[in-house]
Amino acid sequence: QLPYLDVFINEKQTTKPVRLMKLTSGNVSFDCRELFFEDFTTLKQNEAAGGYKVYLWPNDYCGELTFYFPLARKDKELEKLQSDSRFRKALSYAINRQEIIDVIYRGIGEPAQWSVPKGSKFYNEKHATMAVAYRPDLANKMLDEMGLDKRNSEGTRLLWSGEPLNMDVVTVQERPLDAVQMVCNYWRAIGVNAQMKVQNSKYINNAIAI
């Protein structure tokens, strides 16, 4: 279709402060990645000066913040742990999603599971609400029933081998780190020693591929 384009130049700005400055000044034709809710207030305040409009809509990639496990592990005990749906459900019940929404996302949002958002013809309420309620009591009960009912002096649960249940929560700098830290705190409260580790995305992808 006409007109034909001989050259298309796409500038990728990886430095967040510079990218945000270009956005607020209106010097961006389009933005497709690395635009987060934490930028909402700044972008909204500069709408008139930058000559743009800010809109909010559900993410098509099923949520603002998602945690997942690499289920295939060299450590067979960890593989057994993470492949058990009770463990994953317990961690889900331990998260106070509404508190995260109120604190990090200024009250904008709705607690949900990793699922297709409302408004889509593929939306499934059962999937969206599974293990979403904040139930630390139920989370503790499920972990106890798995045989993880013993703890060390620091309150960390012990695996079947007697080793402490330590878990690295690996993320990248571009994610909402305050929200990730809140989740780690919720998990430590039920005896899972979750520690946030900020890494380069290339390192994370390589580690998952191994």
Side-chain angles (χ1 to χ4, degrees):
Q1 297 295 323
L2 295 173
Y4 295 110
L5 300 176
D6 295 323
V7 178
F8 183 84
I9 300 175
N10 180 19
E11 178 185 353
K12 183 179 180 181
Q13 180 52 252
T14 58
T15 305
K16 182 175 179 178
V18 176
R19 181 171 65 248
L20 194 58
M21 182 176 66
K22 287 192 173 186
L23 285 167
T24 55
S25 62
N27 291 313
V28 174
S29 299
F30 74 95
D31 185 89
C32 61
R33 300 195 65 173
E34 311 306 337
L35 188 60
F36 303 107
F37 184 81
E38 63 191 65
D39 304 322
F40 173 76
T41 299
T42 301
L43 292 172
K44 193 69 177 176
Q45 291 172 342
N46 289 275
E47 272 185 327
Y52 58 82
K53 191 73 175 175
V54 176
Y55 297 96
L56 289 174
W57 60 83
N59 286 325
D60 59 357
Y61 49 85
C62 305
E64 187 68 22
L65 185 62
T66 303
F67 297 86
Y68 61 93
F69 292 108
L71 297 181
R73 303 293 298 265
K74 292 182 179 179
D75 187 318
K76 294 304 178 182
E77 188 171 44
L78 291 180
E79 183 177 19
K80 174 185 175 182
L81 174 74
Q82 296 179 351
S83 61
D84 192 320
S85 63
R86 292 174 296 175
F87 179 66
R88 300 196 300 276
K89 287 179 180 178
L91 294 190
S92 184
Y93 280 122
I95 300 174
N96 190 338
R97 290 169 171 81
Q98 188 59 58
E99 185 173 57
I100 294 175
I101 290 171
D102 292 340
V103 173
I104 306 298
Y105 298 103
R106 302 174 180 85
I108 301 175
E110 181 178 335
Q113 196 55 265
W114 190 88
S115 62
V116 177
K118 287 182 179 179
S120 169
K121 65 179 181 179
F122 301 107
Y123 173 75
N124 184 301
E125 185 176 4
K126 179 181 178 180
H127 292 168
T129 58
M130 181 179 295
V132 162
Y134 177 49
R135 292 285 307 279
D137 56 330
L138 181 56
N140 279 308
K141 180 181 178 181
M142 295 177 78
L143 295 177
D144 288 345
E145 290 175 347
M146 289 177 62
L148 306 175
D149 52 334
K150 296 181 177 61
R151 305 193 186 208
N152 63 17
S153 59
E154 297 178 350
T156 300
R157 291 179 181 272
L158 301 180
L159 293 166
W160 303 282
S161 63
E163 292 295 317
L165 205 176
N166 298 322
M167 188 168 67
D168 289 343
V169 181
V170 183
T171 184
V172 293
Q173 185 68 44
E174 292 79 13
R175 298 279 83 81
L177 299 184
D178 289 343
V180 176
Q181 186 59 63
M182 288 180 70
V183 172
C184 289
N185 294 342
Y186 295 138
W187 288 343
R188 286 201 294 272
I190 60 169
V192 178
N193 184 25
Q195 300 292 332
M196 182 174 69
K197 306 287 185 181
V198 181
Q199 301 281 3
N200 181 278
S201 59
K202 183 178 293 186
Y203 169 85
I204 296 174
N205 292 334
N206 289 339
I208 292 175
I210 293 176

